[in-house]
């Protein structure tokens, strides 16, 4: 499905009839505001075909935020009239549309806007390739944030079924047994009730007698659909040969189709075609007409018709459709680029598909629809291979793999991201482009760091330093040194990390991006200060960094990380309420920046905070969400820290055996990855659990292991604190690994 397609459809339907809703003055005001404040939507509305006028020739800016643009458009409308925004079949929406649904729900609460999302709850509709769909993840997140109110629609009871039957058919005269049979066979599913009534009517089991619906006497067997598919198969079974062929061709166009294009493909007069489509819509309920075309009543209807068409015939129709769309929307194609690309590709003309697939991928990338972008780029490379021709000279292979890498990395698909960046590294080497090598190498190092593969990460960074020095590449060393500092920090070597961060500060003075690099280094030094117990210095560093990011502008992600780290420091100061406030500000900004990694880390730290406050249910909820993300992305260190927090949760519940199992797993991972601070904090928590069970000897044994590690990595504050506690063995204050969000260049 195209990125943001449900919103495109909603706006298209509204604007195609906006003369009936908005006055001429309001339409002009809206056009002027969109042109001035969100020019992106002028181009975005190509697919809408609205009253905004001609297409813009300007490309989409790389920095534009499509979410903010659509939010502003809805706010402008809401300032004129109350707005109800309805998206049906939300469970099938694309990834970008779901993120936008979440974003709008969070940012339009103070406007005259009601957003309604309608979804099915059948487990088959809530899965993709055997896995839970992203819709479930977004829904759970919105529940947690309190930005959604759910209305569960349950099956009807018999009284409801009787009401539905009587009001659907107006005047009825049925026996009680008829109503009971309908209710029993349909199990109260209103969709099946209505479909059964249609079937009974078509088979003349029920009939109209002097304006009253009656049942045929002597009939007893009801044919009731068992699955939704059965309903649609029955609907299609009444089509004649001409109608079926027509709809098969329409299905090749897509879920939505254009009657003018269909009439050309069928070599049929448009008026004749429209009459046939009108009959199909009115009598068979297979289609729904809109102001600008038709759509199938349900996506499954389209799929059934498409699948029953011979593959060779489908390819021919795809080719014809692509050719016609190319003629219609030339020369810039705009939002129809992806449609044209896929029709050429599915039609087997890979050579023609190549430029369209690339352009569609770039468009999706520029509006942050990373999943769709990666799929377009994948199809692009596949079509290049199948065409047997070299990649067009107009397409930069370096830029291509750079965008592919980012698309995978932003989606948490690290292995695919590494593969793309590795290709980019070698391409840049062959092209004698040292800056390109460094860009690719640092991104590879960063992903290896996220995956806990320290040695591989450092090897790539050291190679980047060598390339930068040998080729005298300006403004690169400070960022590479900052990233190396991050890796040493993650390994628990704070002295080495400090050395690289301070080096970054010195080198940033001569950098074209001095403020940016300076803010990163300040943030990272603040994190280390906090770990060493210098909380005041840490907070001051974070605030300075946030001030710089806000002055630079367009740095929501970095500002979010600043608030994340402030929340961490406030946790260590045991200021729980202020800590939660900081984390909540971070979550809001992380959503705007679409930083899923930061979101997960913040959720985990909120889980820790709630453990400290003994809010066990909240702690478990936040930690489960974080763990799910870390497992999916292969972030093993944060996965280990999630187990650590679960150990704390189970200990608070008094379930000590379960607590020990979680802590042992966390210790195992930290040992394997040689993350010393995380290992030490786990031993402290393990000692706490043993003390809670009355096993002082084992508690002392684990505390001693932690003390040795704290001493080795020179965390003198923690070592002194633990040593005093061991000497007195009072009630121990449990500690968790400080999961800080360090700043990468």
């Amino acid at each position: 499905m195209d990125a943001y397609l449900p919103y495109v459809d909603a706006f298209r339907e509204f604007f195609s009839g906006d003369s009936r809703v908005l006055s001429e003055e309001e339409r002009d005001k809206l056009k002027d505001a969109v042109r001035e404040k969100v020019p992106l939507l002028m181009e975005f509305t190509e697919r809408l075909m609205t009253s905004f006028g001609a297409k813009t020739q300007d490309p989409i800016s790389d920095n534009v935020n499509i979410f903010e643009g659509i939010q502003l458009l809805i706010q402008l409308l809401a300032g004129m009239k109350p707005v109800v925004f309805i998206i049906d079949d939300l469970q099938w929406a694309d990834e970008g549309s779901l993120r936008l649904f979440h974003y709008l729900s969070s940012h339009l609460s103070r406007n005259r806007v009601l957003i309604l999302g309608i979804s099915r709850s059948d487990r088959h509709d809530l899965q993709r390739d055997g896995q839970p769909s992203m819709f479930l993840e977004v829904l759970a997140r919105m529940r947690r944030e309190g930005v959604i109110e759910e209305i569960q629609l349950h099956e009807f009871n018999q009284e409801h079924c009787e009401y539905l039957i009587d009001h659907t058919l107006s005047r009825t005269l049925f026996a009680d047994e008829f109503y009971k049979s309908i209710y029993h066979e349909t199990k109260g599913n209103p969709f099946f009730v209505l479909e059964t009534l249609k079937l009974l009517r078509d088979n003349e089991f029920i009939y109209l007698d002097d304006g009253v619906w009656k049942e045929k006497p002597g009939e007893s067997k009801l044919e009731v659909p068992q699955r939704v598919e059965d309903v649609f198969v029955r609907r299609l079974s009444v089509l004649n040969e001409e109608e079926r062929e027509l709809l098969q061709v329409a299905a090749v166009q897509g879920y939505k189709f254009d009657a003018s294009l269909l009439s050309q493909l069928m070599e049929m007069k448009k008026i004749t075609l429209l009459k046939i489509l009108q009959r199909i819509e009115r009598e068979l309920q297979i289609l729904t007409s809109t102001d600008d075309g038709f759509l199938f009543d349900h996506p499954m209807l389209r799929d059934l018709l498409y699948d029953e068409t011979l593959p060779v015939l489908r390819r021919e129709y795809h080719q014809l459709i692509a050719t016609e769309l190319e003629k219609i929307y030339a020369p810039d194609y705009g939002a129809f680029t992806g449609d044209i690309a896929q029709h050429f590709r599915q039609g087997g003309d890979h050579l023609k598909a190549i430029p369209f697939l690339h352009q569609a991928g770039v468009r999706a990338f520029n509006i942050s629809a990373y999943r769709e972008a990666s799929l377009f780029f994948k199809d692009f490379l596949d079509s290049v291979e199948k065409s047997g021709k070299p990649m067009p000279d107009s397409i930069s292979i370096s830029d291509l793999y750079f965008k592919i890498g980012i698309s995978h990395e932003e989606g948490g698909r690290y292995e695919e991201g590494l593969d793309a960046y590795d290709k980019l590294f070698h391409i840049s080497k062959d092209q004698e482009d040292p800056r390109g090598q460094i860009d690719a190498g640092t991104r590879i190092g960063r992903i290896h760091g996220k995956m806990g593969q320290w040695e591989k990460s450092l090897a790539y960074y050291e190679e980047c330093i060598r390339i930068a020095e040998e080729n005298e590449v300006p403004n690169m060393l400070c960022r590479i040194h900052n990233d190396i500092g991050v890796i040493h920090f993650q390994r628990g070597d704070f002295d080495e990390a400090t050395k690289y961060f301070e080096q970054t500060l010195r080198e940033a003075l001569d950098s074209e991006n001095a403020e940016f690099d300076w803010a990163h280094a300040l943030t990272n030094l603040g994190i280390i200060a906090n770990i060493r117990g210098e909380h005041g210095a840490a907070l001051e560093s974070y605030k300075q960094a946030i001030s710089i990011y806000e002055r630079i502008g367009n740095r929501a992600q970095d500002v979010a990380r600043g608030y994340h780290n402030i929340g961490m420091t406030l946790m260590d100061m045991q200021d729980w309420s202020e800590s939660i406030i900081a984390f909540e500000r971070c979550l809001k900004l992380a959503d705007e920046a679409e930083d899923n990694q930061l979101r997960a880390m913040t959720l985990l730290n909120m889980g820790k905070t709630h453990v400290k406050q003994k809010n066990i249910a909240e702690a478990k909820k936040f930690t489960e969400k974080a763990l799910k993300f870390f497992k999916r992305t292969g972030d093993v260190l944060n996965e280990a820290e999630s187990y650590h927090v679960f150990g704390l949760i189970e200990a608070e519940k008094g379930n000590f055996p379960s607590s020990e199992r979680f802590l042992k797993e966390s210790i195992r991972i930290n040992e394997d990855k040689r993350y010393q601070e995380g290992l030490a904090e786990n031993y402290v928590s393990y000692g706490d659990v043993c003390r809670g069970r009355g096993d002082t000897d084992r508690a002392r044994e684990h505390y001693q292991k932690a003390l040795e590690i704290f001493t080795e990595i020179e965390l003198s504050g923690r070592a002194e604190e633990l040593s005093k506690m061991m000497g007195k063995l009072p009630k121990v204050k449990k500690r968790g690994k400080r999961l800080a969000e360090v700043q990468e260049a």
Side-chain angles (χ1 to χ4, degrees):
M1 180 179 289
D2 292 347
Y4 314 118
L5 183 58
Y7 303 89
V8 171
D9 288 341
F11 283 128
R12 174 165 49 193
E13 183 173 350
F14 175 80
F15 285 118
S16 64
D18 63 2
S19 60
R20 298 170 298 182
V21 179
L22 301 177
S23 66
E24 187 70 30
E25 180 182 355
E26 288 173 326
R27 293 206 313 277
D28 290 341
K29 180 180 177 182
L30 186 62
K31 282 192 286 187
D32 291 342
V34 170
R35 283 181 175 135
E36 177 184 352
K37 298 180 180 179
V38 277
L40 163 67
L41 291 185
M42 298 300 296
E43 198 273 345
F44 187 60
T45 53
E46 291 171 4
R47 188 182 282 273
L48 308 182
M49 295 304 176
T50 70
S51 61
F52 286 168
K55 307 170 187 175
T56 174
Q57 299 297 320
D58 298 329
I60 301 175
S61 166
D62 285 348
N63 297 320
V64 76
N65 189 325
I66 186 68
F67 288 14
E68 292 178 359
I70 292 179
Q71 174 194 346
L72 179 57
L73 178 55
I74 295 176
Q75 287 174 327
L76 290 170
L77 288 169
M80 300 173 183
K81 309 278 185 182
V83 174
V84 179
F85 207 104
I86 303 173
I87 300 178
D88 200 2
D89 285 327
L90 197 59
Q91 76 281 353
W92 290 328
D94 61 277
E95 182 178 340
S97 295
L98 290 171
R99 292 202 312 268
L100 180 54
F101 182 77
H102 179 203
Y103 177 87
L104 293 176
S105 301
S106 303
H107 289 76
L108 291 173
S109 59
R110 297 181 181 273
N111 300 99
R112 298 189 300 173
V113 179
L114 173 64
I115 302 177
L116 293 177
I118 304 170
S119 77
R120 294 179 62 182
S121 58
D122 185 275
R123 63 185 179 89
H124 298 295
D125 293 302
L126 300 179
Q127 292 185 349
R128 292 291 181 274
D129 301 323
Q131 299 297 320
S133 70
M134 187 180 176
F135 168 69
L136 294 177
E137 180 181 333
V138 171
L139 189 63
R141 186 183 302 169
M142 294 175 70
R143 288 181 187 131
R144 186 198 68 249
E145 295 173 1
V147 297
I148 189 171
E149 180 179 346
E150 295 180 75
I151 302 174
Q152 298 288 343
L153 301 180
H154 302 288
E155 293 84 358
F156 283 1
N157 58 29
Q158 184 171 331
E159 181 181 352
H160 293 150
C161 284
E162 292 179 8
Y163 184 90
L164 178 61
I165 293 168
D166 290 341
H167 282 74
T168 299
L169 299 175
S170 297
R171 298 178 64 194
T172 60
L173 188 61
F174 297 135
D176 289 342
E177 191 60 34
F178 176 85
Y179 292 108
K180 290 180 182 178
S181 297
I182 294 285
Y183 172 69
H184 176 74
E185 294 295 336
T186 62
K187 299 178 175 60
N189 185 316
F191 179 70
F192 286 169
V193 170
L194 294 175
E195 290 301 320
T196 299
L197 289 178
K198 293 175 186 175
L199 186 64
L200 295 175
R201 178 201 62 196
D202 294 342
N203 293 340
E204 299 183 351
F205 183 96
I206 59 175
Y207 62 98
L208 197 60
D209 181 16
D210 195 22
V212 178
W213 286 96
K214 300 178 181 179
E215 60 187 295
K216 187 176 293 185
E219 299 286 349
S220 60
K221 178 64 176 176
L222 293 180
E223 290 187 52
V224 177
Q226 298 300 308
R227 304 177 304 158
V228 176
E229 293 92 327
D230 297 335
V231 172
F232 298 137
V233 169
R234 285 177 176 171
R235 285 196 201 175
L236 297 176
S237 66
V238 298
L239 293 169
N240 61 39
E241 185 175 345
E242 180 186 43
E243 292 167 341
R244 198 174 197 95
E245 181 186 4
L246 189 152
L247 291 184
Q248 286 173 345
V249 179
V252 176
Q253 273 199 59
Y255 171 54
K256 300 176 171 79
F257 62 92
D258 178 72
S260 297
L261 179 56
L262 185 60
S263 68
Q264 293 180 48
L265 296 171
M266 297 298 296
E267 298 180 347
M268 179 183 295
K269 289 184 178 180
K270 187 174 180 180
I271 189 66
T272 304
L273 172 71
L274 289 173
K275 288 179 179 180
I276 296 173
L277 294 177
Q278 177 179 263
R279 188 192 87 79
I280 294 173
E281 178 182 11
R282 289 182 177 178
E283 298 181 17
L284 306 180
Q285 290 82 48
I286 292 175
L287 301 174
T288 300
S289 60
T290 65
D291 288 337
D292 61 343
F294 289 84
L295 63 152
F296 287 96
D297 194 53
H298 194 283
M300 197 174 292
L301 282 165
R302 183 263 176 181
D303 293 343
L304 288 168
L305 287 161
Y306 184 85
D307 291 341
E308 70 182 24
T309 308
L310 287 174
V312 65
L313 187 56
R314 285 203 303 258
R315 286 195 296 272
E316 189 64 25
Y317 281 133
H318 277 301
Q319 182 70 33
L320 290 172
I321 292 168
T323 301
E324 290 301 321
L325 290 175
E326 185 182 20
K327 292 177 184 176
I328 294 170
Y329 296 107
D332 63 344
Y333 310 109
F336 290 89
T337 306
D339 295 335
I340 297 170
Q342 293 299 352
H343 281 302
F344 272 130
R345 176 174 165 78
Q346 290 173 289
D349 192 341
H350 294 283
L351 200 59
K352 288 282 289 185
I354 287 171
F356 290 105
L357 287 167
H358 179 261
Q359 187 179 344
V362 172
R363 286 174 56 83
F365 180 88
N366 287 339
I367 59 173
S368 303
Y370 294 117
R371 178 61 177 168
E372 287 73 20
S374 65
L375 292 174
F376 276 125
F377 289 138
K378 179 182 178 182
D379 287 344
F380 166 80
L381 291 171
D382 182 69
S383 287
V384 169
E385 181 180 352
K386 289 179 177 176
S387 71
K389 302 289 185 179
M391 191 175 297
D393 293 337
S394 60
I395 295 174
S396 166
I397 189 170
S398 298
D399 181 70
L400 172 67
Y401 278 105
F402 181 76
K403 286 183 169 64
I404 291 174
I406 290 178
S407 297
H408 286 308
E409 185 180 359
E410 289 295 322
R413 298 178 292 275
Y414 292 150
E415 293 295 341
E416 292 90 340
L418 283 173
D419 183 64
Y421 291 140
D422 183 67
K423 286 184 171 64
L424 175 60
F425 185 88
H426 288 92
I427 289 168
S428 299
K429 184 177 181 180
D430 293 340
Q431 295 176 343
E432 298 182 352
D433 176 11
R435 182 175 287 275
Q437 281 183 269
I438 294 170
D439 285 340
T442 53
R443 289 184 176 277
I444 292 173
R446 189 173 306 174
I447 291 183
H448 281 305
K450 290 177 180 179
M451 299 172 71
Q453 298 168 351
W454 316 127
E455 300 305 327
K456 288 183 178 180
S457 178
L458 288 173
Y460 272 98
Y461 284 128
E462 292 298 334
E463 176 67 5
C464 289
I465 289 176
R466 183 192 64 77
I467 295 170
E469 290 177 340
E470 287 184 0
N471 295 275
E472 299 181 353
V473 182
N475 306 312
M476 294 301 294
L477 285 177
C478 59
R479 295 195 173 184
I480 299 172
H481 286 141
N482 183 79
D483 286 354
I484 293 175
V486 171
I487 298 302
H488 285 297
F489 170 86
Q490 291 173 330
R491 297 180 69 175
D493 191 342
F494 304 119
D495 287 339
E496 195 70 8
T498 299
K499 182 181 76 174
Y500 279 102
F501 294 147
E502 289 176 345
Q503 189 170 350
T504 300
L505 283 178
R506 292 191 297 272
E507 292 166 341
L509 296 175
D510 299 322
S511 169
E512 292 181 2
N513 301 291
E515 282 196 312
F516 180 82
D517 297 326
W518 188 272
H520 272 6
L522 277 174
T523 298
N524 295 336
L525 288 169
I527 292 168
I528 293 177
N530 182 60
I531 290 174
R532 289 173 169 163
E534 301 164 4
H535 302 316
L539 289 174
E540 182 61 28
S541 291
Y542 298 150
K543 290 175 182 177
Q544 286 183 40
I546 289 174
S547 177
I548 293 172
Y549 291 136
E550 290 177 337
R551 185 166 65 249
I552 294 172
N554 198 30
R555 304 302 307 177
Q557 186 178 49
D558 295 308
V559 175
R561 289 172 176 171
Y563 282 114
H564 176 272
N565 291 324
I566 287 175
M568 290 290 301
T569 299
L570 292 170
M571 276 181 64
D572 285 342
M573 296 170 69
Q574 299 185 15
D575 191 341
W576 312 124
S577 58
E578 289 298 316
S579 175
I580 288 293
I581 291 173
F583 286 139
E584 287 175 344
R585 293 186 72 175
C586 173
L587 281 178
K588 182 177 179 181
L589 290 165
D591 278 340
E592 292 179 11
E594 300 179 44
D595 189 334
N596 293 325
Q597 176 78 13
L598 177 57
R599 158 171 280 281
M601 293 177 69
T602 306
L603 290 173
L604 180 55
N605 282 312
M606 291 180 76
K608 291 183 188 180
T609 304
H610 283 295
V611 171
K612 301 291 186 180
Q613 296 177 290
K614 301 188 185 302
N615 297 329
I616 303 305
E618 290 294 291
K620 183 178 179 182
K621 178 176 68 175
F622 287 126
T623 307
E624 284 177 343
K625 297 300 179 186
L627 177 60
K628 181 179 179 180
F629 176 84
F630 297 138
K631 280 187 171 182
R632 190 175 76 240
T633 59
D635 190 340
V636 290
L637 271 185
N638 282 326
E639 181 182 339
E641 186 58 15
S642 301
Y643 294 137
H644 183 184
V645 178
F646 274 123
L648 301 177
I649 291 171
E650 292 302 310
E652 287 292 344
K653 292 164 61 178
N655 190 348
F656 296 117
S658 179
S659 176
E660 286 193 58
R661 285 196 297 272
F662 279 119
L663 291 172
K664 285 180 178 178
E665 179 62 13
S666 183
I667 287 171
R668 182 193 67 77
I669 296 173
N670 279 289
E671 285 180 334
D672 182 57
K673 296 300 178 182
R674 292 182 290 176
Y675 185 63
Q676 294 294 85
E677 192 205 357
L679 183 60
E681 296 292 359
N682 269 277
Y683 280 132
V684 172
S685 296
Y686 206 157
D688 292 346
V689 171
C690 292
R691 285 189 68 247
R693 300 180 68 175
D695 192 342
T696 306
D697 290 340
R698 287 189 67 201
R700 188 180 299 276
E701 176 186 336
H702 291 301
Y703 291 147
Q704 183 61 38
K705 290 180 180 179
L707 180 61
E708 291 172 0
I709 295 173
F710 285 138
T711 302
E712 179 186 350
I713 62 177
E714 298 181 3
L715 286 183
S716 55
R718 283 295 284 132
E720 183 179 352
E721 177 186 354
L722 183 57
S723 182
K724 289 180 180 179
M725 184 272 294
M726 291 173 64
K728 298 179 181 179
L729 282 180
K731 183 178 180 181
V732 184
K733 178 173 62 178
K734 287 177 284 189
R735 298 295 299 257
K737 183 188 84 176
R738 296 167 178 82
L739 182 59
E741 171 61 13
V742 293
Q743 299 292 50
E744 298 163 329

